[in-house]
Amino acid sequence: RLVNMVHKAGGRLKIQDSFRASGIHSPSSLHKQGRAVDLTCDELSLETIAKFAWSAGFDWVYYEAPPKGGHHIHASVRPK
């Protein structure tokens, strides 16, 4: 759903990070469960991407601004 929304708005979604079994994420990170993605888009604002992610059904949508740069939208779904 999210990809379709971004495409219809004239953008191309970029996945900056997704599943990672180990590494930079905290032990409880949903990235380690395959339930989270970090997103950007050159053509659309991060605010627009966040709104689309929420509308597409993600449970948690958050603007992340790491100290070293690489601002992105984190979107995840909770375990059912």
Side-chain angles (χ1 to χ4, degrees), residues 2 17 55:
L2 177 58
D17 200 5
S55 295

Side-chain angles (χ1 to χ4, degrees), residues 33-55:
Q33 298 176 25
R35 297 182 174 277
V37 292
D38 294 337
L39 308 164
T40 62
C41 179
D42 292 336
E43 299 83 10
L44 304 172
S45 70
L46 291 178
E47 179 182 2
T48 299
I49 298 303
K51 288 177 183 178
F52 285 167
W54 185 256
S55 295

Side-chain angles (χ1 to χ4, degrees), residues 6 13 16 22 26 31 35 40 42 48 50 54 58-59 61 67 72 75:
V6 171
L13 198 61
Q16 301 300 324
S22 62
S26 71
H31 285 279
R35 297 182 174 277
T40 62
D42 292 336
T48 299
W54 185 256
F58 284 90
D59 296 313
V61 178
H72 60 271

